[in-house]
Amino acid sequence: MSVEKTFNPGAAVHTDGDLRYEVIIGCEIHCELLTKTKAFCSCENRYGGMPNTRVCPVCLGLPGAMPIPSHEYVEFGARAGFALDCSVARFTKFDRKHYFYPDLVKGYQITQYDLPLCSEGKVAVNLAKPDEAPRFKTVRIERIHLEEDVGKSLHIEGAHSYIDYNRSGVPLIEIVSKPDMSSPEEASLYMQTIREILRYIGVTDGNLEEGSMRCDANINLRVIENGVEFRTPISEIKNMNSFKAIRDACTYEISRQLKEFREDRQAFSQGFKVTMGWDESIGETVVQRTKNSFIDYRFVVEPDIRPLVLSDEFLSVAKAEVGERPAEKRERFKREYGLSDFDVNTLTTDRGLSEWFESAAKAAKDPKKVANWVLAEVLAIVNDRGVALEDLKFTPAHIAELVNAVVSGSITSKQAKDVFARMNESGERPDAIVKELGLAVVSDSSAIEKIVDDVFAANPAALEDWKNGKTNVAGWLTGQVMKMSKGQANPATATALVQKKLADIR
Ligand code: ZN
Ligand code: MN
């Protein structure tokens, strides 16, 4: 007797002909940390430069050299752990993972095997579009461990291969998720979320082009055919460094695995894994190696580094340094400033921008208006002209002053645009520009009344139309008043006076 297999309630089930399947993806993200020095020596931790200029006996793995983990390295790792809701271990140690590759000088990598610094965390991934209310899916984090990066091989076609050890010993964290993602989009959003959080808390620059963050995806399918369950062999797609690459590679793997399953019905077996690379140019995954048995990395305790015992003080400092995370900031901005999901999402993509906005919003009478200025005018300059926020001629205080001038009615929104253009050029304060250009709005009704009288006197035909029942005359007359005042009349006052005078003559 066989038991009919079905999917779990809530599983995203797809159909392909007579097959029904679900997608299972787990990710391993390697992320370089922004510490001043490399992980275990005092060489400068920086990207690029002349090859092999930032190396020493420790990161070159010379015999007798002693690695010493930097304080900042462990602290950044703990900070990342707290940011991803992990438990951070008080007792942790380093291990050696052995394998042979030219860019791995010592023949082993210093990493953490059975006692990782952080474990059992989680991250909320927002699956909604930017203009929708957030819809979160929780992805569990299995562990985050500390390890060192390796050198870089450079293959010059038709010539030699070279190795640059500047990257050897650069501090990494490896973040291992549970297989909780059920589509290529979710995997891509997961990586975006992790990058955003880690950049926010200042432990990485998350620079994808420079390889500061690389993602490996483990993907397979749970297939049900005629009530019988299969799992396809897991493919591990290595070293993807863009959100698009993850999405495209996983999408490709799903169709490849389905096709392969139809051909040979090969099912999952423990330890069998195909390691693949993603070839962007042909849009296909390429097999790098298959392993039928577990690779023996011969893990041993790193004997040159004493186990770490982290104090309460060390841990509470790391925890305090996390600060507000992006999702929390979004909720608060919505609550405190009454902003829409779209506005909030745009304002918080970058921590610097969110802080720039907030310091203006705090000083202004209308935070919503501040958001509009930042999203439309400020970001246009930043994005179109590639100017960094801190290089702008004006500051959040300028925007607050400008908004306050509009809110108090001393200038119109239209005039505010001119003031903005000028302060962007010169860096002068809005109040000074208003004074200098003589822009202050005329709210004094007697002065505006005089203009209204002049406009009425100059446009008898319009008044004739009004008497004959035309209704759109009021708006046109108000426009004439604004024009005659060179935009300085308070629009509300002008409108009221025109209405009043028209009512008198009909
Ligand atoms: Zn070094
Ligand atoms: Mn690793």
Side-chain angles (χ1 to χ4, degrees):
M1 200 185 87
S2 72
V3 179
E4 179 96 351
K5 289 284 184 179
T6 53
F7 289 98
N8 297 324
V13 180
H14 309 274
T15 309
D16 183 72
D18 53 335
L19 302 180
R20 287 183 310 138
Y21 67 95
E22 135 184 54
V23 179
I24 303 167
I25 305 174
C27 290
E28 290 163 21
I29 294 178
H30 284 92
C31 175
E32 288 181 354
L33 302 176
L34 276 177
T35 54
K36 286 172 213 71
T37 65
K38 290 188 181 181
F40 305 109
C41 59
S42 56
C43 291
E44 190 193 354
N45 173 24
R46 177 161 60 81
Y47 175 82
M50 271 295 282
N52 300 311
T53 50
R54 293 189 303 279
V55 289
C56 74
V58 173
C59 55
L60 284 177
L62 301 185
M66 292 293 273
I68 300 168
S70 94
H71 182 95
E72 200 182 21
Y73 175 31
V74 183
E75 190 176 295
F76 277 23
R79 201 195 293 181
F82 285 121
L84 297 175
D85 281 338
C86 293
S87 358
V88 180
R90 274 150 203 288
F91 182 85
T92 187
K93 67 171 173 70
F94 289 97
D95 301 276
R96 293 181 177 184
K97 176 183 180 178
H98 296 83
Y99 63 96
F100 287 99
Y101 205 76
D103 60 18
L104 183 69
V105 271
K106 301 187 292 294
Y108 60 83
Q109 177 188 32
I110 303 180
T111 179
Q112 296 193 289
Y113 183 49
D114 54 339
L115 290 176
L117 178 63
C118 319
S119 54
E120 287 178 60
K122 62 178 186 325
V123 61
V125 178
N126 182 11
L127 306 180
K129 295 199 179 72
D131 57 345
E132 295 172 351
R135 188 159 42 84
F136 290 111
K137 168 165 184 166
T138 299
V139 174
R140 294 166 300 159
I141 308 284
E142 186 171 300
R143 57 186 278 158
I144 303 176
H145 59 259
L146 303 171
E147 60 185 29
E148 56 177 344
D149 212 341
V150 296
K152 223 187 238 173
S153 303
L154 303 154
H155 306 289
I156 312 290
E157 194 147 357
H160 307 283
S161 285
Y162 300 91
I163 301 178
D164 175 8
Y165 289 113
N166 281 347
R167 202 177 66 176
S168 176
V170 161
L172 287 177
I173 46 174
E174 179 177 335
I175 305 160
V176 182
S177 85
K178 295 275 190 190
D180 285 348
M181 286 145 280
S182 51
S183 70
E185 291 71 30
E186 283 182 21
S188 171
L189 288 169
Y190 166 77
M191 185 183 179
Q192 292 176 50
T193 307
I194 295 286
R195 176 173 181 266
E196 181 178 62
I197 292 172
L198 297 184
R199 274 165 50 95
Y200 242 77
I201 63 168
V203 299
T204 185
D205 61 13
N207 192 319
L208 299 165
E209 291 84 42
E210 293 178 358
S212 297
M213 210 166 185
R214 291 105 67 180
C215 182
D216 304 341
N218 286 280
I219 174 168
N220 74 331
L221 310 175
R222 181 172 178 234
V223 182
I224 293 186
E225 183 187 38
N226 304 322
V228 182
E229 178 188 324
F230 299 87
R231 276 169 201 248
T232 57
I234 296 177
S235 300
E236 180 175 15
I237 316 165
K238 299 292 269 184
N239 274 328
M240 291 174 285
N241 66 349
S242 79
F243 309 134
K244 182 177 181 294
I246 296 186
R247 201 171 42 235
D248 293 351
C250 289
T251 305
Y252 178 83
E253 257 312 294
I254 292 169
S255 56
R256 195 200 61 77
Q257 290 190 13
L258 275 174
K259 184 163 171 281
E260 187 180 77
F261 177 78
R262 286 188 180 284
E263 281 162 9
D264 65 6
R265 291 291 182 283
Q266 187 176 183
F268 176 83
S269 66
Q270 199 65 44
F272 183 90
K273 202 178 203 180
V274 188
T275 305
M276 303 185 141
W278 171 243
D279 188 330
E280 188 107 51
S281 60
I282 56 170
E284 289 178 13
T285 49
V286 182
V287 175
Q288 291 175 339
R289 70 182 133 99
T290 56
K291 46 182 173 186
N292 268 306
S293 59
F294 193 75
I295 282 195
D296 186 3
Y297 288 117
R298 294 157 26 247
F299 280 101
V300 290
V301 173
E302 167 59 65
D304 289 341
I305 304 174
R306 252 192 286 176
L308 304 174
V309 180
L310 304 179
S311 68
D312 287 345
E313 199 208 336
F314 179 90
L315 293 173
S316 61
V317 167
K319 192 168 192 170
E321 278 169 346
V322 170
E324 189 176 40
R325 291 170 290 183
E328 293 157 353
K329 181 163 273 175
R330 285 186 188 120
E331 273 314 301
R332 188 170 62 76
F333 275 16
K334 270 176 24 184
R335 206 173 54 237
E336 285 182 11
Y337 303 123
L339 304 177
S340 70
D341 283 301
F342 183 82
D343 290 357
V344 162
N345 283 330
T346 313
L347 288 170
T348 56
T349 43
D350 177 83
R351 184 172 179 162
L353 177 64
S354 71
E355 286 169 354
W356 202 97
F357 159 75
E358 186 154 36
S359 73
K362 282 214 161 103
K365 290 175 183 144
D366 187 341
K368 180 88 183 86
K369 278 205 167 69
V370 171
N372 293 341
W373 277 98
V374 173
L375 290 166
E377 311 296 335
V378 179
L379 280 187
I381 296 169
V382 169
N383 296 334
D384 299 350
R385 301 196 210 155
V387 183
L389 277 175
E390 51 276 16
D391 295 336
L392 291 171
K393 289 248 171 76
F394 57 90
T395 64
H398 284 74
I399 292 289
E401 200 170 292
L402 184 63
V403 165
N404 288 346
V406 176
V407 171
S408 67
S410 66
I411 55 170
T412 64
S413 308
K414 193 173 163 296
Q415 290 172 325
K417 301 246 176 191
D418 299 334
V419 175
F420 178 82
R422 178 131 171 184
M423 78 188 201
N424 180 39
E425 292 300 321
S426 67
E428 283 169 277
R429 292 298 283 246
D431 286 353
I433 298 171
V434 168
K435 209 173 272 171
E436 206 177 309
L437 298 183
L439 285 179
V441 165
V442 180
S443 296
D444 169 20
S445 9
S446 61
I448 300 174
E449 219 168 332
K450 169 81 180 54
I451 302 173
V452 172
D453 288 344
D454 290 349
V455 167
F456 274 56
N459 295 285
L463 300 181
E464 210 44 50
D465 287 347
W466 168 256
K467 282 180 198 155
N468 293 331
K470 258 199 160 179
T471 50
N472 58 358
V473 175
W476 185 82
L477 287 169
T478 308
Q480 295 304 303
V481 173
M482 293 306 296
K483 204 167 165 188
M484 201 175 256
S485 78
K486 298 198 176 68
Q488 279 172 260
N490 182 320
T493 314
T495 306
L497 288 172
V498 167
Q499 301 273 16
K500 184 166 166 280
K501 208 169 162 72
L502 280 175
D504 288 346
I505 58 173
R506 198 191 222 160

